[in-house]
Amino acid sequence: MLQSSGQGDGPSTSGSEQASSYVGQIVAPGDIVLDLTQAGKLVRIGGGLQQDGTSLVVTKAGRLRHTKPSKYWVEGSQRRYVPAVEDVVVGVVVERYAEHLVIDIGGPVTALLPALAFEGATRRNKPNLNIGDSVYARVTSTSRDTEPTLACHDASGRAAGFGPLAKGYLFQCSTGLARTLLSRPTCAVLEALGGGLSFELAVGMNGKVWVDAASAAITVLVANAIINSEFLSPTQAKIMVKSLLKQVQQP
Amino acid sequence: MSSQGSLRKDGRTFNQLRGMVCDRGLLHRADGSAKWSQDGTSVLVGVYGPKNMPPKREDPEKAVLEVLWKPKSGIQGPEEREAEIILRRTLEAVVLAPLFPRAGISVVVQVIHDDGSLLSCAINAACAALVDAGIPMTGLLASVTIALAKRDDGAGGGAHLQLDPTREEQDGAQATVCLALETTPKAATSNGSVEGEAVVTSTTRGAMAIEEYLEALDRCRMASRTINAFARLSLDKAQRRLELPGT
């Protein structure tokens, strides 16, 4: 496991940069995963990592991920969401003002959704959201000292699926499960559920999941299946969904 | 030294830790939780946050850490208050609080059973719970208590330092030292050299000679490596369990 780089003395050229030996392994806070003097010119880091002088230090437990050429981040599962730019989130309106809405996204602080951050919204014509309504939005900025801001449109101003979520049922799961639900190819539970039922689903990286279906029974079934799938393997999940579907189709 | 005479009441050698058990994420409503047991001593810790704090208590520069110590029975006394403060200061050394200004992190410690080395057990449990909650930290903590047995016990020649004492040993001791160390991480640096464990907290009770303290510090260092190795193993297991559906 502890492999020192082969060519000990020769200064590494920018072409021969190599990935950290900890990629794919489970790391704990304090681990030094990369020596920046040995890495290439540019290293991009995501959540769970911090630069400390010339080394890259882990701050959260999880699995170290890496994509070429030099992106590093730590993937772990946690209950409390910490906002990151470009995450898709599901939130609940908690306060309403003329210029903005205050949204609870389950993070350390509430988020801000400008009233005009919807597709085609103008001062005269903006969506009417009330306290308690849920929205599907994108995180546009996160700064240490200010509240995170959201937007209900993509970078080019299109709705792209974002916006108010009418009716439906909202529940909370861990961020790890939310990431699994959002991953491609579609995860086993959703694949299996989609095969037998029709429903609408909005998953936020913050672990809030919104489901809507024709009847309350189906909504509850989908929500339960998703929550139960957290610690199941793909095969187990399929079997679980199958048995649930049987129950709903019998009466 | 390894003769039968140098064994302690529970059959351990003087330099032996008790068996450790660590369960992570067992509380449903907490953001992170862990139960850490060292044989008879057992502590359950729940972590809540980072979350909003009442405006009176928030700090514009960093997250506020609050520790609540719940004794096994009855209400909090001065001892619990002291433990709260020690634990808070210890955790503040490793938690990256400036990342969440104006937020708060609550650490609730529930003592399940006290059979000696309680503070150490609580520090280990709190560290595991913070990791489980995904609170950014600079490193992991490992804490060990050492009791200095009274000299007239007949156990001479340096064998009077008892690692991870039980309550009986602790009560009969001339002095006890509780140390919390920030453990040495795994490192991929080119030269492979990482500084040794840094002392974060040191609390002593009773009187002891300087040499004895330094000896205790040395033994805590060694023991902290065992604890660190165990904590990593348990973390590894917990993470693998979480990842099952994806892989």
Side-chain angles (χ1 to χ4, degrees):
Chain A
M1 285 216 286
L2 263 173
Q3 284 174 348
S4 58
S5 53
Q7 318 91 330
D9 26 7
S12 61
T13 55
S14 57
S16 72
E17 57 206 65
Q18 46 178 319
S20 162
S21 54
Y22 291 103
V23 170
Q25 287 189 31
I26 287 164
V27 289
D31 287 354
I32 299 164
V33 290
L34 192 66
D35 185 354
L36 294 174
T37 55
Q38 305 262 306
K41 274 184 192 150
L42 189 72
V43 174
R44 290 173 192 274
I45 55 170
L49 289 172
Q50 218 181 32
Q51 184 190 350
D52 180 17
T54 59
S55 46
L56 217 54
V57 183
V58 177
T59 58
K60 283 181 192 176
R63 205 174 274 277
L64 186 68
R65 298 281 183 204
H66 166 68
T67 55
K68 280 175 181 168
S70 54
K71 272 189 191 168
Y72 288 97
W73 72 98
V74 176
E75 217 170 79
S77 181
Q78 58 189 70
R79 301 245 177 87
R80 179 71 58 161
Y81 171 68
V82 176
V85 175
E86 290 304 322
D87 275 358
V88 291
V89 293
V90 175
V92 178
V93 180
V94 287
E95 279 168 65
R96 238 180 92 181
Y97 297 100
E99 298 287 311
H100 66 266
L101 299 157
V102 176
I103 313 281
D104 174 24
I105 53 169
V109 289
T110 51
L112 221 72
L113 175 62
L116 298 181
F118 293 85
E119 186 187 8
T122 59
R123 289 198 153 274
R124 293 269 174 93
N125 174 29
K126 48 191 179 190
N128 183 31
L129 278 161
N130 293 310
I131 290 170
D133 287 356
S134 20
V135 278
Y136 193 45
R138 182 173 68 92
V139 180
T140 51
S141 82
T142 56
S143 152
R144 214 182 65 104
D145 303 301
T146 58
E147 290 168 306
T149 51
L150 309 176
C152 279
H153 55 61
D154 64 8
S156 57
R158 301 270 171 79
F162 298 116
L165 300 167
K167 293 185 285 181
Y169 170 60
L170 191 69
F171 65 90
Q172 180 79 42
C173 68
S174 74
T175 56
L177 179 57
R179 207 183 306 111
T180 314
L181 293 173
L182 285 166
S183 64
R184 305 258 156 218
T186 317
C187 71
V189 217
L190 296 183
E191 195 82 64
L193 283 168
L197 300 165
S198 66
F199 56 91
E200 277 187 277
L201 185 78
V203 184
M205 281 293 285
N206 55 345
K208 286 194 196 305
V209 181
W210 173 88
V211 195
D212 191 22
S215 75
I218 296 173
T219 310
V220 171
L221 183 140
V222 170
N224 284 342
I226 289 172
I227 294 169
N228 291 342
S229 74
E230 179 153 17
F231 301 116
L232 299 181
S233 70
T235 333
Q236 285 173 314
K238 269 178 209 157
I239 296 167
M240 184 261 300
V241 171
K242 210 176 264 176
S243 70
L244 281 174
L245 287 178
K246 253 182 223 156
Q247 285 172 23
V248 87
Q249 277 151 3
Q250 263 162 8
Chain B
M1 283 300 287
S2 59
S3 65
Q4 288 293 313
S6 68
L7 288 179
R8 294 200 242 167
K9 263 194 180 158
D10 52 5
R12 282 186 292 157
T13 62
F14 286 93
N15 226 351
Q16 196 179 351
L17 292 163
R18 287 176 285 181
M20 292 174 279
V21 180
C22 178
D23 286 316
R24 288 160 199 263
L26 28 67
L27 295 182
H28 260 282
R29 316 256 329 233
D31 291 316
S33 55
K35 187 177 142 186
W36 187 287
S37 311
Q38 291 165 210
D39 254 3
T41 308
S42 186
V43 173
L44 177 65
V45 175
V47 171
Y48 301 81
K51 55 173 190 180
N52 269 326
M53 280 303 250
K56 242 187 193 175
R57 306 195 41 206
E58 67 184 26
D59 185 331
E61 297 292 330
K62 58 181 171 54
V64 177
L65 210 68
E66 63 171 5
V67 175
L68 265 139
W69 186 288
K70 310 253 184 196
K72 189 182 173 193
S73 61
I75 51 160
Q76 265 195 356
E79 274 172 42
E80 282 79 24
R81 289 283 305 143
E82 191 198 2
E84 261 180 11
I85 293 164
I86 295 170
L87 186 55
R88 178 167 55 79
R89 293 205 179 142
T90 308
L91 297 178
E92 273 170 353
V94 288
V95 170
L96 284 163
L99 288 178
F100 305 104
R102 297 193 298 130
I105 300 166
S106 291
V107 177
V108 184
V109 179
Q110 171 67 58
V111 177
I112 297 171
H113 194 71
D114 176 12
D115 187 20
S117 313
L118 182 63
L119 185 59
S120 285
C121 190
I123 291 171
N124 290 331
C127 176
L130 284 170
V131 170
D132 187 56
I135 308 277
M137 297 198 287
T138 55
L140 296 175
L141 289 170
S143 177
V144 194
T145 301
I146 282 194
L148 182 74
K150 286 199 180 85
R151 274 171 199 276
D152 48 271
D153 274 8
H160 52 272
L161 282 178
Q162 298 170 323
L163 201 69
D164 193 12
T166 60
R167 192 149 167 194
E168 194 188 343
E169 287 167 337
Q170 202 173 301
D171 288 346
Q174 178 194 323
T176 54
V177 197
C178 173
L179 285 158
L181 306 156
E182 189 168 348
T183 56
T184 332
K186 293 202 271 184
T189 45
S190 50
N191 46 14
S193 69
V194 183
E195 294 155 48
E197 300 85 352
V199 177
V200 173
T201 298
S202 166
T203 55
T204 56
R205 226 157 268 224
M208 65 199 313
I210 294 171
E211 301 81 60
E212 286 165 335
Y213 177 76
L214 293 175
E215 171 71 20
L217 180 61
D218 251 15
R219 294 208 187 167
C220 283
R221 275 235 156 92
M222 301 295 280
S224 79
R225 285 172 205 162
T226 316
I227 295 174
N228 185 27
F230 169 75
R232 276 174 181 282
L233 206 71
S234 112
L235 175 70
D236 216 75
K237 229 172 98 185
Q239 288 289 334
R240 275 176 212 284
R241 197 177 73 101
L242 288 173
E243 283 175 0
L244 205 93
T247 45

Short mmCIF file of all heavy atoms in Angstrom, two decimals, chain A residues 155-211:
data_model
loop_
_atom_site.label_atom_id
_atom_site.label_comp_id
_atom_site.label_asym_id
_atom_site.label_seq_id
_atom_site.Cartn_x
_atom_site.Cartn_y
_atom_site.Cartn_z
N ALA A 155 -27.46 27.53 -16.66
CA ALA A 155 -26.58 28.66 -16.96
C ALA A 155 -27.09 29.50 -18.12
O ALA A 155 -26.82 30.70 -18.19
CB ALA A 155 -25.18 28.15 -17.25
N SER A 156 -27.84 28.90 -19.05
CA SER A 156 -28.31 29.66 -20.21
C SER A 156 -29.71 30.25 -19.99
O SER A 156 -30.30 30.80 -20.91
CB SER A 156 -28.30 28.76 -21.45
OG SER A 156 -29.09 27.62 -21.21
N GLY A 157 -30.26 30.12 -18.81
CA GLY A 157 -31.54 30.73 -18.51
C GLY A 157 -32.76 29.87 -18.76
O GLY A 157 -33.89 30.30 -18.54
N ARG A 158 -32.54 28.63 -19.21
CA ARG A 158 -33.66 27.72 -19.44
C ARG A 158 -34.08 27.05 -18.14
O ARG A 158 -33.28 26.89 -17.24
CB ARG A 158 -33.24 26.64 -20.44
CG ARG A 158 -32.82 27.17 -21.77
CD ARG A 158 -34.03 27.26 -22.70
NE ARG A 158 -33.69 27.99 -23.92
CZ ARG A 158 -33.03 27.43 -24.93
NH1 ARG A 158 -32.65 26.17 -24.84
NH2 ARG A 158 -32.75 28.13 -26.01
N ALA A 159 -35.32 26.62 -18.09
CA ALA A 159 -35.83 25.98 -16.87
C ALA A 159 -35.13 24.64 -16.61
O ALA A 159 -34.78 24.33 -15.46
CB ALA A 159 -37.33 25.75 -16.97
N ALA A 160 -34.88 23.87 -17.65
CA ALA A 160 -34.12 22.61 -17.56
C ALA A 160 -34.62 21.70 -16.45
O ALA A 160 -33.83 21.04 -15.79
CB ALA A 160 -32.63 22.89 -17.40
N GLY A 161 -35.91 21.69 -16.24
CA GLY A 161 -36.46 20.80 -15.22
C GLY A 161 -36.56 21.40 -13.84
O GLY A 161 -37.24 20.88 -12.97
N PHE A 162 -35.88 22.53 -13.62
CA PHE A 162 -35.95 23.16 -12.30
C PHE A 162 -37.25 23.94 -12.15
O PHE A 162 -37.87 24.32 -13.13
CB PHE A 162 -34.77 24.12 -12.10
CG PHE A 162 -33.44 23.45 -12.15
CD1 PHE A 162 -32.53 23.75 -13.16
CD2 PHE A 162 -33.09 22.50 -11.20
CE1 PHE A 162 -31.29 23.11 -13.21
CE2 PHE A 162 -31.86 21.87 -11.26
CZ PHE A 162 -30.96 22.17 -12.26
N GLY A 163 -37.63 24.18 -10.91
CA GLY A 163 -38.83 24.97 -10.68
C GLY A 163 -39.61 24.45 -9.50
O GLY A 163 -39.16 23.55 -8.78
N PRO A 164 -40.80 25.02 -9.27
CA PRO A 164 -41.62 24.58 -8.13
C PRO A 164 -42.06 23.13 -8.32
O PRO A 164 -42.28 22.69 -9.44
CB PRO A 164 -42.84 25.51 -8.19
CG PRO A 164 -42.47 26.62 -9.10
CD PRO A 164 -41.43 26.10 -10.03
N LEU A 165 -42.14 22.40 -7.21
CA LEU A 165 -42.62 21.02 -7.25
C LEU A 165 -44.01 21.01 -6.62
O LEU A 165 -44.16 21.17 -5.42
CB LEU A 165 -41.68 20.10 -6.47
CG LEU A 165 -40.24 20.03 -6.97
CD1 LEU A 165 -39.35 19.34 -5.96
CD2 LEU A 165 -40.15 19.32 -8.30
N ALA A 166 -45.02 20.85 -7.48
CA ALA A 166 -46.39 20.89 -6.97
C ALA A 166 -46.78 19.54 -6.39
O ALA A 166 -46.32 18.50 -6.85
CB ALA A 166 -47.34 21.25 -8.11
N LYS A 167 -47.60 19.55 -5.39
CA LYS A 167 -48.10 18.34 -4.73
C LYS A 167 -46.95 17.42 -4.33
O LYS A 167 -45.87 17.88 -4.01
CB LYS A 167 -49.12 17.60 -5.63
CG LYS A 167 -50.39 18.40 -5.83
CD LYS A 167 -51.43 17.61 -6.62
CE LYS A 167 -51.06 17.54 -8.10
NZ LYS A 167 -52.02 16.82 -8.90
N GLY A 168 -47.15 16.11 -4.39
CA GLY A 168 -46.08 15.16 -4.12
C GLY A 168 -45.74 15.02 -2.65
O GLY A 168 -46.41 15.58 -1.78
N TYR A 169 -44.69 14.24 -2.42
CA TYR A 169 -44.28 13.91 -1.06
C TYR A 169 -42.77 14.08 -0.96
O TYR A 169 -42.02 13.65 -1.84
CB TYR A 169 -44.69 12.46 -0.75
CG TYR A 169 -44.12 11.89 0.52
CD1 TYR A 169 -44.40 12.48 1.76
CD2 TYR A 169 -43.32 10.76 0.51
CE1 TYR A 169 -43.89 11.96 2.92
CE2 TYR A 169 -42.81 10.22 1.68
CZ TYR A 169 -43.10 10.83 2.88
OH TYR A 169 -42.58 10.31 4.03
N LEU A 170 -42.32 14.73 0.10
CA LEU A 170 -40.90 15.03 0.27
C LEU A 170 -40.35 14.22 1.44
O LEU A 170 -40.95 14.20 2.51
CB LEU A 170 -40.74 16.53 0.56
CG LEU A 170 -39.34 17.11 0.52
CD1 LEU A 170 -38.81 17.11 -0.90
CD2 LEU A 170 -39.35 18.52 1.07
N PHE A 171 -39.24 13.54 1.24
CA PHE A 171 -38.60 12.85 2.36
C PHE A 171 -37.09 13.03 2.33
O PHE A 171 -36.52 13.49 1.33
CB PHE A 171 -38.99 11.37 2.40
CG PHE A 171 -38.51 10.56 1.23
CD1 PHE A 171 -37.28 9.92 1.27
CD2 PHE A 171 -39.29 10.43 0.10
CE1 PHE A 171 -36.84 9.17 0.19
CE2 PHE A 171 -38.85 9.68 -0.97
CZ PHE A 171 -37.62 9.05 -0.93
N GLN A 172 -36.48 12.68 3.44
CA GLN A 172 -35.06 12.93 3.62
C GLN A 172 -34.29 11.61 3.61
O GLN A 172 -34.72 10.62 4.20
CB GLN A 172 -34.87 13.62 4.98
CG GLN A 172 -33.44 13.96 5.36
CD GLN A 172 -32.95 15.21 4.67
OE1 GLN A 172 -33.68 16.19 4.56
NE2 GLN A 172 -31.72 15.18 4.19
N CYS A 173 -33.15 11.57 2.91
CA CYS A 173 -32.26 10.41 3.00
C CYS A 173 -30.83 10.92 3.14
O CYS A 173 -30.61 12.13 3.19
CB CYS A 173 -32.41 9.51 1.77
SG CYS A 173 -31.83 10.24 0.25
N SER A 174 -29.86 10.02 3.20
CA SER A 174 -28.47 10.48 3.36
C SER A 174 -27.95 11.00 2.03
O SER A 174 -28.48 10.68 0.97
CB SER A 174 -27.59 9.34 3.87
OG SER A 174 -27.36 8.43 2.83
N THR A 175 -26.90 11.80 2.07
CA THR A 175 -26.34 12.36 0.83
C THR A 175 -25.74 11.25 -0.04
O THR A 175 -25.72 11.37 -1.25
CB THR A 175 -25.28 13.42 1.14
OG1 THR A 175 -24.28 12.83 1.96
CG2 THR A 175 -25.87 14.62 1.81
N GLY A 176 -25.28 10.20 0.62
CA GLY A 176 -24.72 9.08 -0.13
C GLY A 176 -25.76 8.39 -0.99
O GLY A 176 -25.54 8.09 -2.16
N LEU A 177 -26.95 8.18 -0.40
CA LEU A 177 -28.04 7.55 -1.15
C LEU A 177 -28.50 8.47 -2.28
O LEU A 177 -28.77 8.02 -3.39
CB LEU A 177 -29.20 7.21 -0.22
CG LEU A 177 -30.43 6.56 -0.87
CD1 LEU A 177 -30.07 5.28 -1.58
CD2 LEU A 177 -31.51 6.29 0.17
N ALA A 178 -28.55 9.78 -1.99
CA ALA A 178 -28.97 10.74 -3.02
C ALA A 178 -28.02 10.67 -4.21
O ALA A 178 -28.45 10.70 -5.37
CB ALA A 178 -28.99 12.15 -2.44
N ARG A 179 -26.70 10.55 -3.90
CA ARG A 179 -25.72 10.47 -4.98
C ARG A 179 -25.93 9.20 -5.81
O ARG A 179 -25.86 9.22 -7.04
CB ARG A 179 -24.31 10.51 -4.42
CG ARG A 179 -23.32 11.07 -5.40
CD ARG A 179 -21.90 11.05 -4.90
NE ARG A 179 -21.71 11.70 -3.63
CZ ARG A 179 -21.40 11.04 -2.53
NH1 ARG A 179 -21.28 9.73 -2.56
NH2 ARG A 179 -21.22 11.68 -1.40
N THR A 180 -26.25 8.10 -5.12
CA THR A 180 -26.51 6.84 -5.84
C THR A 180 -27.73 7.01 -6.75
O THR A 180 -27.73 6.55 -7.89
CB THR A 180 -26.79 5.71 -4.83
OG1 THR A 180 -25.80 5.78 -3.81
CG2 THR A 180 -26.73 4.35 -5.48
N LEU A 181 -28.78 7.67 -6.24
CA LEU A 181 -30.00 7.84 -7.03
C LEU A 181 -29.75 8.70 -8.26
O LEU A 181 -30.39 8.52 -9.29
CB LEU A 181 -31.09 8.47 -6.17
CG LEU A 181 -31.63 7.63 -5.02
CD1 LEU A 181 -32.57 8.46 -4.16
CD2 LEU A 181 -32.34 6.39 -5.52
N LEU A 182 -28.82 9.65 -8.14
CA LEU A 182 -28.55 10.56 -9.25
C LEU A 182 -27.54 9.99 -10.23
O LEU A 182 -27.33 10.56 -11.30
CB LEU A 182 -28.03 11.90 -8.71
CG LEU A 182 -29.06 12.83 -8.07
CD1 LEU A 182 -28.37 13.92 -7.28
CD2 LEU A 182 -29.95 13.45 -9.13
N SER A 183 -26.88 8.90 -9.87
CA SER A 183 -25.77 8.41 -10.69
C SER A 183 -26.26 7.79 -12.00
O SER A 183 -27.42 7.40 -12.14
CB SER A 183 -24.97 7.38 -9.91
OG SER A 183 -25.77 6.26 -9.65
N ARG A 184 -25.35 7.73 -12.96
CA ARG A 184 -25.60 7.10 -14.25
C ARG A 184 -24.69 5.90 -14.38
O ARG A 184 -23.54 6.02 -14.01
CB ARG A 184 -25.34 8.07 -15.41
CG ARG A 184 -26.08 9.34 -15.33
CD ARG A 184 -27.27 9.31 -16.26
NE ARG A 184 -28.25 10.28 -15.74
CZ ARG A 184 -29.55 10.09 -15.75
NH1 ARG A 184 -30.05 8.97 -16.20
NH2 ARG A 184 -30.36 10.99 -15.28
N PRO A 185 -25.10 4.78 -14.92
CA PRO A 185 -26.47 4.46 -15.32
C PRO A 185 -27.42 4.40 -14.12
O PRO A 185 -26.97 4.25 -12.99
CB PRO A 185 -26.31 3.08 -15.96
CG PRO A 185 -25.08 2.51 -15.35
CD PRO A 185 -24.18 3.68 -15.10
N THR A 186 -28.71 4.52 -14.41
CA THR A 186 -29.73 4.56 -13.37
C THR A 186 -29.55 3.42 -12.37
O THR A 186 -29.31 2.29 -12.78
CB THR A 186 -31.13 4.46 -14.00
OG1 THR A 186 -31.14 5.30 -15.15
CG2 THR A 186 -32.20 4.90 -13.03
N CYS A 187 -29.65 3.74 -11.09
CA CYS A 187 -29.42 2.73 -10.07
C CYS A 187 -30.54 1.69 -10.06
O CYS A 187 -31.64 1.92 -10.57
CB CYS A 187 -29.25 3.36 -8.71
SG CYS A 187 -30.74 4.01 -8.03
N ALA A 188 -30.25 0.54 -9.46
CA ALA A 188 -31.13 -0.63 -9.54
C ALA A 188 -32.55 -0.39 -9.03
O ALA A 188 -33.52 -0.81 -9.65
CB ALA A 188 -30.49 -1.79 -8.77
N VAL A 189 -32.67 0.35 -7.90
CA VAL A 189 -34.02 0.56 -7.35
C VAL A 189 -34.90 1.33 -8.31
O VAL A 189 -36.05 0.94 -8.55
CB VAL A 189 -33.99 1.43 -6.06
CG1 VAL A 189 -35.01 0.94 -5.07
CG2 VAL A 189 -32.63 1.63 -5.52
N LEU A 190 -34.37 2.42 -8.83
CA LEU A 190 -35.18 3.26 -9.72
C LEU A 190 -35.52 2.51 -11.00
O LEU A 190 -36.63 2.60 -11.51
CB LEU A 190 -34.46 4.57 -10.02
CG LEU A 190 -34.21 5.47 -8.82
CD1 LEU A 190 -33.56 6.76 -9.26
CD2 LEU A 190 -35.51 5.78 -8.09
N GLU A 191 -34.54 1.76 -11.50
CA GLU A 191 -34.75 0.95 -12.69
C GLU A 191 -35.92 -0.01 -12.45
O GLU A 191 -36.86 -0.10 -13.25
CB GLU A 191 -33.48 0.14 -12.96
CG GLU A 191 -33.41 -0.47 -14.33
CD GLU A 191 -32.93 0.52 -15.38
OE1 GLU A 191 -31.78 0.96 -15.26
OE2 GLU A 191 -33.72 0.86 -16.28
N ALA A 192 -35.88 -0.71 -11.31
CA ALA A 192 -36.90 -1.70 -10.99
C ALA A 192 -38.26 -1.04 -10.75
O ALA A 192 -39.29 -1.52 -11.24
CB ALA A 192 -36.48 -2.50 -9.77
N LEU A 193 -38.26 0.08 -10.03
CA LEU A 193 -39.52 0.79 -9.76
C LEU A 193 -40.12 1.32 -11.05
O LEU A 193 -41.33 1.21 -11.28
CB LEU A 193 -39.27 1.94 -8.79
CG LEU A 193 -39.09 1.60 -7.32
CD1 LEU A 193 -38.57 2.81 -6.56
CD2 LEU A 193 -40.38 1.12 -6.71
N GLY A 194 -39.26 1.89 -11.90
CA GLY A 194 -39.72 2.46 -13.15
C GLY A 194 -40.32 1.41 -14.07
O GLY A 194 -41.17 1.70 -14.90
N GLY A 195 -39.85 0.16 -13.92
CA GLY A 195 -40.37 -0.91 -14.75
C GLY A 195 -41.82 -1.24 -14.47
O GLY A 195 -42.55 -1.68 -15.34
N GLY A 196 -42.26 -1.02 -13.23
CA GLY A 196 -43.61 -1.43 -12.87
C GLY A 196 -44.58 -0.31 -12.55
O GLY A 196 -45.78 -0.52 -12.53
N LEU A 197 -44.05 0.88 -12.29
CA LEU A 197 -44.92 1.98 -11.87
C LEU A 197 -44.59 3.24 -12.65
O LEU A 197 -43.50 3.36 -13.22
CB LEU A 197 -44.70 2.28 -10.38
CG LEU A 197 -44.97 1.18 -9.37
CD1 LEU A 197 -44.35 1.55 -8.04
CD2 LEU A 197 -46.45 0.94 -9.24
N SER A 198 -45.52 4.18 -12.66
CA SER A 198 -45.17 5.49 -13.23
C SER A 198 -45.25 6.53 -12.12
O SER A 198 -46.24 6.58 -11.38
CB SER A 198 -46.09 5.83 -14.40
OG SER A 198 -47.39 6.01 -13.92
N PHE A 199 -44.19 7.28 -11.99
CA PHE A 199 -44.14 8.30 -10.94
C PHE A 199 -43.14 9.38 -11.35
O PHE A 199 -42.32 9.18 -12.24
CB PHE A 199 -43.73 7.69 -9.60
CG PHE A 199 -42.43 6.95 -9.65
CD1 PHE A 199 -41.24 7.59 -9.36
CD2 PHE A 199 -42.39 5.61 -9.99
CE1 PHE A 199 -40.03 6.91 -9.43
CE2 PHE A 199 -41.20 4.92 -10.07
CZ PHE A 199 -40.02 5.57 -9.77
N GLU A 200 -43.24 10.52 -10.69
CA GLU A 200 -42.28 11.59 -10.91
C GLU A 200 -41.36 11.65 -9.72
O GLU A 200 -41.78 11.46 -8.57
CB GLU A 200 -43.01 12.93 -11.03
CG GLU A 200 -43.57 13.21 -12.39
CD GLU A 200 -44.10 14.63 -12.43
OE1 GLU A 200 -45.25 14.82 -12.00
OE2 GLU A 200 -43.36 15.53 -12.84
N LEU A 201 -40.07 11.93 -9.98
CA LEU A 201 -39.08 11.91 -8.90
C LEU A 201 -38.12 13.08 -9.07
O LEU A 201 -37.69 13.38 -10.18
CB LEU A 201 -38.32 10.59 -8.96
CG LEU A 201 -37.31 10.30 -7.87
CD1 LEU A 201 -38.04 9.85 -6.62
CD2 LEU A 201 -36.35 9.23 -8.33
N ALA A 202 -37.81 13.77 -7.98
CA ALA A 202 -36.77 14.80 -8.01
C ALA A 202 -35.83 14.53 -6.84
O ALA A 202 -36.26 14.50 -5.70
CB ALA A 202 -37.38 16.19 -7.90
N VAL A 203 -34.57 14.26 -7.17
CA VAL A 203 -33.60 13.97 -6.12
C VAL A 203 -32.63 15.13 -6.00
O VAL A 203 -32.08 15.60 -6.99
CB VAL A 203 -32.80 12.68 -6.46
CG1 VAL A 203 -31.86 12.33 -5.33
CG2 VAL A 203 -33.73 11.53 -6.75
N GLY A 204 -32.43 15.62 -4.80
CA GLY A 204 -31.45 16.68 -4.55
C GLY A 204 -30.20 16.10 -3.92
O GLY A 204 -30.28 15.13 -3.18
N MET A 205 -29.07 16.71 -4.23
CA MET A 205 -27.81 16.26 -3.62
C MET A 205 -27.84 16.45 -2.11
O MET A 205 -27.00 15.92 -1.39
CB MET A 205 -26.63 17.07 -4.19
CG MET A 205 -26.17 16.62 -5.54
SD MET A 205 -25.45 14.99 -5.48
CE MET A 205 -23.88 15.36 -4.74
N ASN A 206 -28.78 17.27 -1.64
CA ASN A 206 -28.88 17.50 -0.19
C ASN A 206 -29.63 16.38 0.53
O ASN A 206 -29.89 16.47 1.71
CB ASN A 206 -29.55 18.84 0.08
CG ASN A 206 -30.90 18.98 -0.59
OD1 ASN A 206 -31.24 18.21 -1.48
ND2 ASN A 206 -31.67 19.94 -0.16
N GLY A 207 -30.00 15.33 -0.19
CA GLY A 207 -30.66 14.20 0.46
C GLY A 207 -32.16 14.35 0.57
O GLY A 207 -32.83 13.53 1.17
N LYS A 208 -32.71 15.43 0.01
CA LYS A 208 -34.16 15.57 -0.01
C LYS A 208 -34.67 14.98 -1.33
O LYS A 208 -34.13 15.27 -2.39
CB LYS A 208 -34.57 17.04 0.12
CG LYS A 208 -34.38 17.60 1.52
CD LYS A 208 -35.12 18.92 1.65
CE LYS A 208 -34.70 19.74 2.85
NZ LYS A 208 -34.78 19.09 4.13
N VAL A 209 -35.68 14.15 -1.22
CA VAL A 209 -36.21 13.48 -2.41
C VAL A 209 -37.70 13.76 -2.47
O VAL A 209 -38.42 13.63 -1.48
CB VAL A 209 -35.96 11.96 -2.35
CG1 VAL A 209 -36.50 11.28 -3.59
CG2 VAL A 209 -34.49 11.65 -2.20
N TRP A 210 -38.16 14.16 -3.65
CA TRP A 210 -39.57 14.47 -3.86
C TRP A 210 -40.17 13.43 -4.80
O TRP A 210 -39.59 13.12 -5.84
CB TRP A 210 -39.69 15.87 -4.43
CG TRP A 210 -41.07 16.29 -4.86
CD1 TRP A 210 -42.02 16.87 -4.08
CD2 TRP A 210 -41.62 16.17 -6.18
NE1 TRP A 210 -43.14 17.11 -4.83
CE2 TRP A 210 -42.93 16.70 -6.11
CE3 TRP A 210 -41.16 15.66 -7.38
CZ2 TRP A 210 -43.77 16.75 -7.22
CZ3 TRP A 210 -42.01 15.70 -8.49
CH2 TRP A 210 -43.28 16.25 -8.41
N VAL A 211 -41.29 12.87 -4.44
CA VAL A 211 -41.96 11.85 -5.27
C VAL A 211 -43.40 12.26 -5.49
O VAL A 211 -44.06 12.75 -4.57
CB VAL A 211 -41.99 10.46 -4.57
CG1 VAL A 211 -42.33 9.38 -5.57
CG2 VAL A 211 -40.69 10.15 -3.89
#
